[in-house]
């Protein structure tokens, strides 16, 4: 069963969206996910700046 995450503070950098959420232990986490079809890029970070850097540096293979 997958985890339902409620994102807040979302921004879009090209095809990548960056959002903030709380994980199952109550820690604030940041996710970067590409919305392009068949790309599959998704990563979780502890820092917002790291997630935004990953979003800016991402190049889609699809």
């Amino acid at each position: 069963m997958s985890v339902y995450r409620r994102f807040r503070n979302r921004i879009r950098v090209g095809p990548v969206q960056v959002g903030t959420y709380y994980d199952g232990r109550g820690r604030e986490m940041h996710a970067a996910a590409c919305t392009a079809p068949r790309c599959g890029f998704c990563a979780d970070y502890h820092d917002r700046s790291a997630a935004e850097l990953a979003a800016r540096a991402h190049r889609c293979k699809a």
Side-chain angles (χ1 to χ4, degrees):
M1 188 167 134
S2 64
V3 176
Y4 176 73
R5 293 186 177 134
R6 187 176 200 169
F7 291 98
R8 58 185 173 84
N9 245 357
R10 292 184 310 190
I11 64 165
R12 188 173 187 96
V13 179
V16 181
Q17 286 190 355
V18 177
T20 303
Y21 69 95
Y22 289 106
D23 68 356
R25 297 182 178 195
R27 296 177 295 200
E28 188 175 69
M29 298 288 289
H30 309 279
C34 186
T35 58
R38 296 183 311 274
C39 179
F41 170 74
C42 175
D44 294 328
Y45 298 94
H46 292 287
D47 296 326
R48 176 79 180 198
S49 59
E52 290 181 11
L53 178 64
R56 287 189 187 97
H58 174 68
R59 300 291 176 248
C60 283
K61 297 176 185 171

